[in-house]
Amino acid sequence: MHAASLSTAGAFAALALEFKKMSDTSPNFPQGRGLYYGGAWHEPKQSGSVEVRSPATDELLCTINVGSAADVRPAVEAAHKGYLEWRDVRPMERARLMKEMGVRIRSNARELALIESMDGGNPISEMMGDVLGTAAMLDYFAGLVTEMKGSSVPYGPEAVSFSVREPYGVVARIAPYNHPLGFSVAKAAAPLAAGNAVVVKPPEQAPLSALRAAELFDGLLPAGVFNVLSGDRDLGAALVSDPGISIVALVGSVPTGKAVMRAAADSLKRVMFELGGKNALIAFPDSDPEKIARAMVAGMNYTWCGQSCGSVSRAFVHEDIYDEVLARMPQYLEKHKPGLPSDPKTTMGALVDRQALDRVTRYIASAHEDGARLIHGGVPPEDPALAKGCFMPPTVFADVTMGMKIAREEIFGPVQAVIKWSDEAEMLRQVNQVEYGLTCAVWTRDVARAHRIISRVEAGFCWINDVARHALGSPFGGYKQSGIGREECLEELLSFTQEKNVWINLNN
């Protein structure tokens, strides 16, 4: 999810006012705070609840009930019943219902944006775009329902051989916390369009928008088609292992992906993964240092505190422009100052929780120990208003080498490593030596060089003279351990179908 905010400055002020009202009364938090499956809300089989707190202020937002492994089987059974009805709904009717899901998201966009901001810590000024992007994804896949086409094979006058595409059954979608609504709802669009039922496990750290979406969709789809199970890793593990799940789709870390794949192997479940990234921006000496500095900051997604798998967390800058680029970075970094998500002027929110902040802090300490040169950030803000939150400003280290942890490991936070290079072959070796291969950005004015470098980098989504752009229909996914499959495109829809061949003997 990479949607720009569509709100105006006047709308930001209105949003801030609504946010304050909501903080006082919490009228728009989901009333259904249990488990949603089979078209109804259920209490957990084993009593359990968790507090949902703001990562920006540590305020208690609400308390929700969470499930356990005991809740998975009845939820999956309900989803299977829903699937048996949903698969027979005509494709254009499925499309109509999915577009209505998008209408309900748009009609409640402001409250969803407020919930997302409070629960996930991201700036309210950006969340409206995230919510509208979710609706756009529903519309996009609704428009592709007639493209689930098989094929025919010529044989001769005595027989016909052709194939059709059919849904798998029940799909488990495990969502991360950086775009909670998008990864819980937008990522359900493709399997729903294909005729599958979906069981969503929203992020533990930010579950509220998925629960609110379940309320908004209640009664629209056949019972059991869209389900939400809040819970921890044990619930997730039970969901992955349940024999009624046909496909597990995950957006998350590489370790989580490996754990899911091991669990899915017992029943040979299909998997689709969008995993981590340690992505490179490569700047050649013919590039404009000003544009490179701006791109390095924009590509790190500091608005989201760097909590983005596609962030260009490694910048390989040629020695000829290295110092000029570093000198120009502060003016762009200063535009991203941590602040309360409720403030429409905030351009950088909070990390999702204390655990995330502690992880980022450890990586910053390791960079100092390894001898990297800090050029910006590195310590929490001193503003008393932010003292209880999980804040860290944009942090940039120069003179980084590939022997340092911050150059090799995904931090998933606002820490960027800048690496000087002179030899193209050695630079490419270093770009490709990590286990990840999600995105890469190449900056040069030489078209032939740009194509040559793109053909050598091991990454699934690449930009030339740009960063962080997505377009629906363009396949997004990674090489190596950054994922399996492609999303945001027709291929994603087809991956949630299985092909059946039919042979007809015409001489019988």
Side-chain angles (χ1 to χ4, degrees), residues 397-443:
F397 284 95
D399 304 342
V400 175
T401 66
M402 286 304 297
M404 301 178 184
K405 283 185 179 181
I406 62 166
R408 301 191 314 272
E409 300 178 12
E410 184 182 34
I411 300 172
F412 213 65
V415 182
Q416 190 171 35
V418 188
I419 302 167
K420 183 190 296 186
W421 69 274
S422 58
D423 180 78
E424 181 179 301
E426 175 58 19
M427 177 270 292
L428 282 172
R429 187 191 71 79
Q430 293 184 13
V431 166
N432 291 331
Q433 78 178 75
V434 295
E435 63 187 13
Y436 306 98
L438 189 55
T439 72
C440 182
V442 176
W443 284 75

Side-chain angles (χ1 to χ4, degrees), residues 51 53 83 128 205 240 251 284 311 330 365 381 395 398 452 469 474 486:
E51 294 182 342
R53 291 185 171 274
Y83 153 70
M128 183 67 78
Q205 302 90 338
V240 171
V251 180
F284 280 86
S311 293
T395 300
R452 184 181 74 248
R469 302 277 190 175
S474 300
R486 293 295 180 267

Side-chain angles (χ1 to χ4, degrees), residues 443-472:
W443 284 75
T444 178
R445 297 172 183 171
D446 186 326
V447 174
R449 172 193 284 154
H451 280 277
R452 184 181 74 248
I453 298 301
I454 289 294
S455 71
R456 296 292 183 266
V457 297
E458 297 168 355
F461 198 98
C462 299
W463 300 278
I464 296 175
N465 296 333
D466 212 336
V467 290
R469 302 277 190 175
H470 285 233
L472 278 177

Side-chain angles (χ1 to χ4, degrees), residues 240-241 248 258-271:
V240 171
S241 301
V248 181
K258 290 178 178 179
V260 168
M261 198 166 191
R262 282 191 290 267
D266 287 341
S267 54
L268 293 180
K269 289 181 174 66
R270 275 70 174 171
V271 296

Side-chain angles (χ1 to χ4, degrees), residues 48-313:
S49 63
V50 296
E51 294 182 342
V52 180
R53 291 185 171 274
S54 163
T57 63
D58 199 38
E59 291 179 80
L60 176 63
L61 302 179
C62 64
T63 300
I64 65 169
N65 293 325
V66 292
S68 65
D71 298 291
V72 168
R73 185 90 282 267
V76 174
E77 288 176 348
H80 184 72
K81 289 180 182 178
Y83 153 70
L84 294 177
E85 182 176 351
W86 184 242
R87 69 178 180 180
D88 291 333
V89 174
R90 294 180 184 275
M92 292 307 294
E93 176 63 7
R94 287 205 301 267
R96 185 190 70 80
L97 292 171
M98 289 181 61
K99 288 179 180 178
E100 176 59 25
M101 293 171 71
V103 168
R104 295 187 182 189
I105 291 292
R106 290 188 182 92
S107 298
N108 296 274
R110 287 194 172 189
E111 75 167 66
L112 287 167
L114 290 164
I115 291 171
E116 288 280 79
S117 184
M118 295 179 77
D119 198 12
N122 293 313
I124 187 63
S125 59
E126 296 294 328
M127 295 317 301
M128 183 67 78
D130 229 37
V131 173
L132 296 180
T134 297
M137 194 78 78
L138 289 164
D139 287 350
Y140 173 75
F141 281 106
L144 290 180
V145 292
T146 57
E147 295 304 307
M148 293 179 290
K149 300 172 181 176
S151 60
S152 62
V153 178
Y155 181 80
E158 67 271 27
V160 173
S161 181
F162 66 94
S163 67
V164 295
R165 289 191 174 273
E166 297 179 345
Y168 276 97
V170 181
V171 174
R173 288 241 53 145
I174 301 175
Y177 56 74
N178 51 337
H179 299 277
L181 181 72
F183 287 131
S184 294
V185 176
K187 295 300 185 183
L192 289 176
N196 302 279
V198 179
V199 180
V200 175
K201 181 193 174 298
E204 295 176 59
Q205 302 90 338
L208 297 183
S209 59
L211 294 172
R212 182 64 184 129
E215 289 182 335
L216 295 175
F217 301 153
D218 186 46
L220 175 63
L221 307 175
V225 173
F226 182 81
N227 311 275
V228 179
L229 295 183
S230 297
D232 60 14
R233 293 182 180 180
D234 290 340
L235 182 145
L239 186 61
V240 171
S241 301
D242 191 278
I245 297 294
S246 299
I247 302 178
V248 181
L250 164 75
V251 180
S253 68
V254 169
T256 302
K258 290 178 178 179
V260 168
M261 198 166 191
R262 282 191 290 267
D266 287 341
S267 54
L268 293 180
K269 289 181 174 66
R270 275 70 174 171
V271 296
M272 173 178 282
F273 294 155
E274 180 195 321
L275 304 179
K278 193 65 181 175
N279 311 296
L281 180 149
I282 303 170
F284 280 86
D286 63 342
S287 302
D288 181 346
E290 189 77 27
K291 292 180 178 179
I292 297 300
R294 184 166 61 241
M296 286 167 59
V297 175
M300 259 305 293
N301 298 306
Y302 283 118
T303 298
W304 309 96
C305 293
Q307 296 173 128
S308 174
C309 55
S311 293
V312 288
S313 54

Side-chain angles (χ1 to χ4, degrees), residues 54-58 338-340 354 357 380-391:
S54 163
T57 63
D58 199 38
L340 294 174
R354 186 64 54 179
L357 178 60
E382 297 180 355
D383 185 348
L386 308 182
K388 294 184 179 180
C390 304
F391 295 97

